[in-house]
Amino acid sequence: MVDRDRNWDFHLRTLSASARDSNFTSDPASDPNLLHSVNKLYELCKAEKCEDLVARVYPSINKLFQRCVASIVQSRSSIGLLLLAILQFFLDFGEIVLHDADPSLRTFFRSCLSREFADPIIAEATVEFLITNKKKLVTSFPALLPQFFPLLLKLIAWNGEKLEKLFLKIFPALMSPGSFLPLFASLVDLPILVVALEKVERSSGSLTGSSIASIQKSTAPEMLLALMDEAYTGSTISDGGGDSEFEDSNTIDVADPSFLELLKDENDGIAERHWTSPGMAAAVQAALNTSQSDRLKKSLKMAPHLIDMYFSVALRDVNDSLICALIPLLMTRNATIFPDRIYSYEVRKRLLEFMLAAFQRSPDFIALLKKPITDRLGEAYDSPEKTELALQLCWAIGEHGGGGESHKDAARELFESLELVLYENLSSSRLGLRQDSTFSFGGKAAQKPSQSRLLCFVVTAIAKLATYHRELLPRARVSLAKVARSSTI
């Protein structure tokens, strides 16, 4: 008992002395005794379950937290472990001392983790902290993790497969109505995020510190002026000025909006990303022209696992309106995936499987989404990946009757789109005019089987759709008669 009291007094004096430090911006992280004292006092409060002890400790710990935050910019030592220990105290004893932990948690993400996510020790400790407190974070602070999911994705992208299993335990907590759609794009673009982070490291030094935060801060005025110029004059945002073509192709222009979009720390609610940026296209091409880094290789393996978890949670917990809003994004991103052969195959496979599962669960989605579906059918011959998407859409239209018997207008419009695809197929087959894009895997030898496969899916969809909607039978007979007369069969 005496030893316990002696330890208690010693650790409390250590914190009190730090809290009374007249130099408020001095670096508390340079004193290793502070972390030890915070942990010991936390353990004593936990063991004794005494509110008076908690009330005595709280003022010193709260002041220490404020000192840590104020010293982050000047600190040369990592302060993440100390802040995490203090946050654990706030979460467990906040109700006793009437401390709202939400501002403190947000301060940690914005001021500390944004600078130290690349530190493997801080990254692992942060993920373990989130796992330990997952239940409380989800119930008491439900908006926290969805807001900072871009920062957490940077953490996992940089630290790789070592943390993947741990990260998957907290991943569902990143999903909310406000983050559901933007999170999808971020997961698909995880390898591109790695490319961008590696470029920053090569051009600005270690990611641990203020490098990314400084880039984003320094480019903000230029970005604002560029956006204003684009709005008023119609000109596009420059990707580096007139001499950019002479610059190193391995650099990304930090004023590139796509670049800043990838490196953001917080969810801004934007679900669509544009790959038209010359800087981004150059960065991806540079990554393809050089040997892949170990970190990029790991992200190419890890991202499909995260996408699996995302779709699993979506089908289990997400409402129909959000899933319906997601499907057009799936269709769009089907053609814009990081161009690694194995990765693009794995991701597209998952996108199509989820889309079909969503249609199976809610067939009326097909009628509600007839516009994006007809648009994708119109692109059926643009590239192999768009052909495959059109095949699956044809199957879904026929299998689910264009959304069901109650959606006759939508079914008619979908039927007309199928007719157009059919007639284009027959016409191009006879004239030999169809050409696959340069992204073809099999060259001319693959063109004929691809076209024949699409024809089979379209014919089947027309027949099935007519069985659901009998008024379409006469038109279906005409279409099928034309197929029968075609020399392609």
Side-chain angles (χ1 to χ4, degrees):
M1 186 73 174
V2 175
D3 289 340
R4 190 211 69 185
D5 292 339
R6 189 177 301 163
N7 289 336
W8 171 272
D9 290 337
F10 170 76
H11 295 304
L12 190 56
R13 283 198 304 272
T14 299
L15 294 191
S16 298
S18 176
R20 291 195 302 269
D21 192 335
S22 58
N23 184 8
F24 193 71
T25 59
S26 64
D27 186 4
S30 61
D31 184 359
N33 294 322
L34 288 176
L35 176 59
H36 178 67
S37 294
V38 170
N39 285 332
K40 285 298 181 181
L41 289 172
Y42 169 81
E43 292 171 2
L44 287 170
C45 289
K46 199 78 170 174
E48 294 297 325
K49 298 180 180 179
C50 177
E51 294 186 1
D52 290 339
L53 296 182
V54 173
R56 287 182 60 193
V57 172
Y58 170 71
S60 297
I61 284 189
N62 190 39
K63 288 180 181 178
L64 178 59
F65 182 85
Q66 301 304 325
R67 277 197 61 211
C68 290
V69 172
S71 68
I72 283 178
V73 176
Q74 292 82 19
S75 177
R76 295 184 178 181
S77 305
S78 172
I79 209 165
L81 295 180
L82 180 56
L83 288 180
L84 286 172
I86 296 174
L87 287 174
Q88 192 62 64
F89 183 92
F90 289 162
L91 285 176
D92 287 350
F93 304 115
E95 293 183 3
I96 295 175
V97 295
L98 301 179
H99 178 93
D100 181 7
D102 185 68
S104 302
L105 290 164
R106 293 177 184 275
T107 298
F108 168 75
F109 279 102
R110 289 179 176 137
S111 301
C112 177
L113 191 60
S114 64
R115 298 171 181 271
E116 299 188 9
F117 71 88
D119 185 325
I121 295 176
I122 302 303
E124 185 172 5
T126 300
V127 174
E128 289 177 346
F129 170 84
L130 296 178
I131 292 173
T132 300
N133 299 283
K134 178 182 175 182
K135 184 175 181 180
K136 174 163 262 186
L137 292 174
V138 170
T139 55
S140 301
F141 314 103
L144 179 71
L145 296 185
Q147 179 176 348
F148 289 97
F149 83 77
L151 177 56
L152 293 173
L153 286 184
K154 284 201 292 189
L155 180 151
I156 190 65
W158 192 253
N159 292 281
E161 292 178 304
K162 178 184 176 183
L163 298 180
E164 180 184 347
K165 291 184 179 179
L166 291 175
F167 188 76
L168 286 173
K169 294 181 180 180
I170 63 168
F171 181 81
L174 274 58
M175 300 176 66
S176 73
S179 69
F180 179 67
L181 298 179
L183 179 57
F184 166 72
S186 297
L187 293 177
V188 174
D189 288 341
L190 194 69
I192 306 177
L193 173 59
V194 172
V195 171
L197 290 172
E198 289 180 336
K199 300 288 185 184
V200 172
E201 184 183 48
R202 282 195 289 271
S203 61
S204 305
S206 173
L207 296 182
T208 302
S210 60
S211 58
I212 294 182
S214 298
I215 288 172
Q216 292 173 320
K217 182 178 180 180
S218 65
T219 58
E222 290 80 1
M223 276 301 302
L224 179 59
L225 290 174
L227 289 170
M228 291 174 64
D229 182 63
E230 181 179 18
Y232 284 100
T233 69
S235 61
T236 58
I237 296 175
S238 171
D239 67 317
D243 297 330
S244 61
E245 61 180 326
F246 299 106
E247 296 175 359
D248 181 3
S249 62
N250 287 329
T251 63
I252 302 179
D253 179 12
V254 294
D256 190 315
S258 299
F259 176 81
L260 296 177
E261 168 72 12
L262 282 170
L263 296 179
K264 66 184 181 182
D265 289 335
E266 299 183 42
N267 172 30
D268 55 14
I270 298 176
E272 294 191 53
R273 291 180 173 178
H274 301 284
W275 278 43
T276 56
S277 158
M280 186 57 62
V284 173
Q285 190 59 46
L288 293 175
N289 292 339
T290 59
S291 59
Q292 294 180 350
S293 67
D294 289 340
R295 189 171 280 113
L296 178 57
K297 290 178 181 177
K298 291 176 181 178
S299 72
L300 292 171
K301 294 180 180 178
M302 187 166 50
H305 300 161
L306 297 176
I307 292 172
D308 281 338
M309 174 69 78
Y310 174 87
F311 285 149
S312 175
V313 174
L315 289 173
R316 186 186 69 224
D317 299 332
V318 177
N319 62 53
D320 282 354
S321 61
L322 283 174
I323 291 181
C324 188
L326 174 63
I327 293 176
L329 294 180
L330 300 185
M331 297 179 188
T332 301
R333 292 311 307 268
N334 180 69
T336 53
I337 298 174
F338 186 81
D340 175 84
R341 183 175 60 85
I342 296 176
Y343 176 74
S344 59
Y345 167 79
E346 292 293 337
V347 172
R348 286 192 179 102
K349 175 184 175 184
R350 287 162 170 79
L351 300 190
L352 295 177
E353 288 176 349
F354 174 80
M355 183 183 70
L356 295 180
F359 287 150
Q360 178 69 34
R361 190 176 83 168
S362 302
D364 58 322
F365 283 175
I366 297 174
L368 295 173
L369 298 173
K370 64 179 185 297
K371 178 61 169 63
I373 289 176
T374 55
D375 289 344
R376 300 293 86 80
L377 291 177
E379 301 170 352
Y381 299 108
D382 289 359
S383 63
E385 58 268 19
K386 291 184 178 182
T387 299
E388 187 61 32
L389 174 60
L391 289 172
Q392 303 304 324
L393 290 173
C394 288
W395 183 89
I397 291 171
E399 185 69 14
H400 303 295
E405 295 182 2
S406 61
H407 298 281
K408 293 191 177 298
D409 291 339
R412 187 185 67 256
E413 294 181 39
L414 292 169
F415 187 90
E416 291 171 353
S417 296
L418 291 172
E419 285 181 320
L420 290 175
V421 175
L422 175 65
Y423 297 151
E424 183 178 355
N425 186 295
L426 296 178
S427 176
S428 60
S429 296
R430 286 193 298 269
L431 298 176
L433 296 178
R434 192 177 71 87
Q435 298 179 354
D436 283 350
S437 75
T438 56
F439 192 64
S440 174
F441 293 106
K444 292 183 178 179
Q447 293 180 13
K448 183 69 174 180
S450 174
Q451 189 171 9
S452 298
R453 186 164 171 249
L454 179 59
L455 177 61
C456 290
F457 273 70
V458 172
V459 168
T460 303
I462 287 175
K464 286 187 173 182
L465 198 56
T467 61
Y468 274 91
H469 303 276
R470 311 291 290 183
E471 68 277 8
L472 297 175
L473 276 174
R475 294 176 64 175
R477 292 192 186 101
V478 172
S479 297
L480 297 180
K482 291 185 178 181
V483 174
R485 289 194 300 269
S486 173
S487 61
T488 62
I489 299 182

